[in-house]
Amino acid sequence: MSGFEVRDLSVRLGGRQVLKNICFNAESGALVALVGPSGAGKTTLLRALAGLIPSDGAMVFAGADVRGLSVAQRAQKFAYVPQDDSVHWPLPVRDVVGLGRFPHGPSRPDRLSGRDLLAVEQALDVVDLQAMAERPVTKLSGGERRRVAVARALATQAPVLFADEPTASVDPHYQLSIMTLLRQQARQGALVFVVTHDLGAAARFADRVLLLCEGRLEAAGLPDAVLSSAQLADVFAIDIFRCEHAGEPVIVPWTAR
């Protein structure tokens, strides 16, 4: 199996140390949740892993140095769902999702191959967007645009998917649908990284959790171990309610300390 090996990853932005000596391994076929307080460095870590910002240390994916990959190679290997999914042109949803196929060669939405078109239609199906496929994306709600961003990333069919708060502004039905979909992508062999503030979703859907605080990796491992009451109290200054339902863990932030 292929995966990420990260050693002593550090990032400075604007003269400030944002990430400090991050080390972890993540294998393909897993959903990895990145959790931590606001400003902990979660988005910065995601962008560094994708090769979108300068960083120090070692990052290896499938035996290759991420920094040695060309832009085209990274675009084929890594799909990215950003926090900001604004689209300023009234493009149809289908065309925006089709942008996910550009790393594979087409220069315009009307030049997609049969394989490209199939990937786009599959992505629209799994995110339940077929009914909106011809609507201008600028006419959609924030939650609907999040689903478009997820579909665009899925259309790339990359072996690694980075998703930065993919369920933000999404109603509970689609929060569950998106997290279930991302877990299915991992089960099918992808390596999926998800930044989330939802500790319950991390506990339920993730195979591994990376807990960040003030630019450092406080803990990495199985959800039960990382999302312990003591650790969450220390990092978030909260007490949690923990139980189990239908054989899956439930975590609810309960009181602020």
Side-chain angles (χ1 to χ4, degrees):
M1 295 179 69
S2 59
F4 255 101
E5 181 180 355
V6 177
R7 292 290 176 267
D8 296 322
L9 178 65
S10 297
V11 174
R12 294 184 67 85
L13 296 175
R16 184 172 68 91
Q17 190 82 41
V18 181
L19 294 179
K20 309 164 189 175
N21 303 118
I22 305 293
C23 299
F24 69 89
N25 292 335
E27 294 295 334
S28 297
L31 189 152
V32 181
L34 280 62
V35 302
S38 297
K42 302 181 296 296
T43 293
T44 300
L45 177 56
L46 209 67
R47 296 180 67 203
L49 294 176
L52 298 176
I53 56 175
S55 61
D56 296 316
M59 284 192 304
V60 177
F61 172 67
D65 184 342
V66 171
R67 297 183 191 88
L69 300 174
S70 67
V71 172
Q73 288 172 323
R74 288 203 310 271
Q76 290 180 3
K77 293 180 183 294
F78 306 145
Y80 194 88
V81 181
Q83 270 189 23
D84 181 6
D85 48 31
S86 300
V87 178
H88 301 288
W89 299 275
L91 296 172
V93 167
R94 179 175 277 107
D95 286 357
V96 175
V97 175
L99 295 174
R101 296 305 298 172
F102 278 22
H104 299 280
S107 58
R108 292 182 358 198
D110 60 352
R111 293 180 180 173
L112 296 179
S113 69
R115 181 179 178 182
D116 295 325
L117 292 172
L118 178 60
V120 170
E121 295 306 314
Q122 289 174 338
L124 290 168
D125 284 340
V126 297
V127 187
D128 193 21
L129 283 172
Q130 283 288 6
M132 304 179 191
E134 302 307 325
R135 287 179 60 185
V137 72
T138 49
K139 300 295 184 181
L140 303 184
S141 69
E144 290 166 344
R145 289 198 304 273
R146 291 306 284 158
R147 288 159 53 201
V148 173
V150 171
R152 181 181 60 203
L154 293 177
T156 306
Q157 298 181 326
V160 182
L161 174 59
F162 298 108
D164 196 350
E165 298 192 44
T167 59
S169 304
V170 178
D171 66 48
H173 173 85
Y174 284 110
Q175 288 177 20
L176 292 169
S177 295
I178 288 172
M179 290 305 299
T180 299
L181 170 63
L182 294 176
R183 183 165 62 179
Q184 289 172 346
Q185 293 296 305
R187 295 294 176 269
Q188 294 168 10
L191 175 54
V192 181
F193 290 91
V194 179
V195 170
T196 183
H197 284 284
D198 188 337
L199 299 177
R204 180 180 178 187
F205 291 100
D207 299 296
R208 286 175 55 79
V209 175
L210 305 180
L211 176 60
L212 285 86
C213 185
E214 296 182 350
R216 297 186 183 278
L217 185 59
E218 293 292 322
L222 297 176
D224 282 350
V226 175
L227 301 176
S228 68
S229 297
Q231 205 141 235
L232 294 180
D234 184 49
V235 171
F236 288 95
I238 60 171
D239 293 315
I240 63 169
F241 170 75
R242 183 190 297 272
C243 66
E244 187 175 285
H245 178 70
E248 295 191 292
V250 177
I251 290 180
V252 181
W254 199 253
T255 57
R257 292 193 168 195

